[in-house]
Amino acid sequence: GLVRYTTENRLAGKTGSILRPRIAIYGLLLTGLSLGGVFALSQRVPARLDVIRDRNTLYRELPDGSVENVYTLKLLNMDRRSHRYAIRVEGVPGLLLVTDHPKPEVDSGEVLPVPVKLRLQADQLTGSNLNIRFVIQAEDDEDLMAESESRFIAPLSVVAPQ
């Protein structure tokens, strides 16, 4: 009788209650964590967009007077079926999006790199470092969208004075 799995109250002959404060607190914590997990899963958007700037060339000045930046968009489809996404850019009026894949199809669980170029005429530049936002939206489900912020960089020499 040296080793027993019991409490000191049971050894003393007292009766114990199964509903103790510690059990109630653990139950509440487990319920709260379960509800938080269910809420997080219900709010998850099954699409993701990562924008990677070309680090070798900040910008290019083209012969027609426009400035070009190069990016790689990483489209991640975490849904159970494939989707075709429309790509757009927001934040600076007059930006022209140039890509070989304007509406790429991304299979379930796939990460698809899409190279894109943004062009802007020099007379439309309002600064040398402009905030932009890339947006992807599934064509078959308008609620399925993702966005990511980046910057459009231009040389100071072509920026129109304010």
Side-chain angles (χ1 to χ4, degrees):
L2 291 177
V3 177
R4 290 191 186 157
Y5 295 104
T6 186
T7 64
E8 292 205 20
N9 284 339
R10 289 272 168 121
L11 289 175
K14 299 178 185 175
T15 60
S17 171
I18 196 156
L19 195 63
R20 295 186 295 263
R22 181 183 300 169
I23 300 294
I25 290 171
Y26 286 159
L28 287 173
L29 285 173
L30 185 60
T31 302
L33 287 172
S34 298
L35 289 174
V38 167
F39 177 75
L41 281 175
S42 70
Q43 299 300 313
R44 181 181 82 100
V45 176
R48 186 169 160 191
L49 173 65
D50 291 326
V51 178
I52 302 168
R53 283 188 47 80
D54 183 9
R55 299 286 180 194
N56 295 328
T57 309
L58 290 179
Y59 57 84
R60 276 185 263 200
E61 293 182 70
L62 300 177
D64 66 352
S66 61
V67 177
E68 179 179 81
N69 284 202
V70 178
Y71 305 85
T72 300
L73 306 181
K74 300 268 185 160
L75 284 64
L76 173 60
N77 182 7
M78 298 177 284
D79 202 4
R80 293 184 178 168
R81 58 191 172 104
S82 65
H83 293 284
R84 184 174 298 279
Y85 292 95
I87 303 171
R88 69 178 188 270
V89 64
E90 301 173 346
V92 177
L95 268 177
L96 176 65
L97 178 74
V98 179
T99 181
D100 292 337
H101 311 318
K103 295 189 178 185
E105 184 161 352
V106 185
D107 290 332
S108 175
E110 182 183 13
V111 178
L112 181 69
V114 178
V116 298
K117 298 174 186 175
L118 292 182
R119 292 184 184 148
L120 187 63
Q121 291 297 324
D123 59 353
Q124 294 178 319
L125 286 167
T126 58
S128 64
N129 197 348
L130 306 171
N131 293 326
I132 57 172
R133 182 175 42 255
F134 287 95
V135 180
I136 59 169
Q137 185 170 17
E139 289 187 335
D140 58 347
D141 184 2
E142 63 185 30
D143 293 333
L144 183 56
M145 65 183 299
E147 57 185 44
S148 183
E149 294 186 359
S150 189
R151 298 196 176 274
F152 185 86
I153 298 175
L156 284 172
S157 61
V158 298
V159 175
Q162 299 287 329

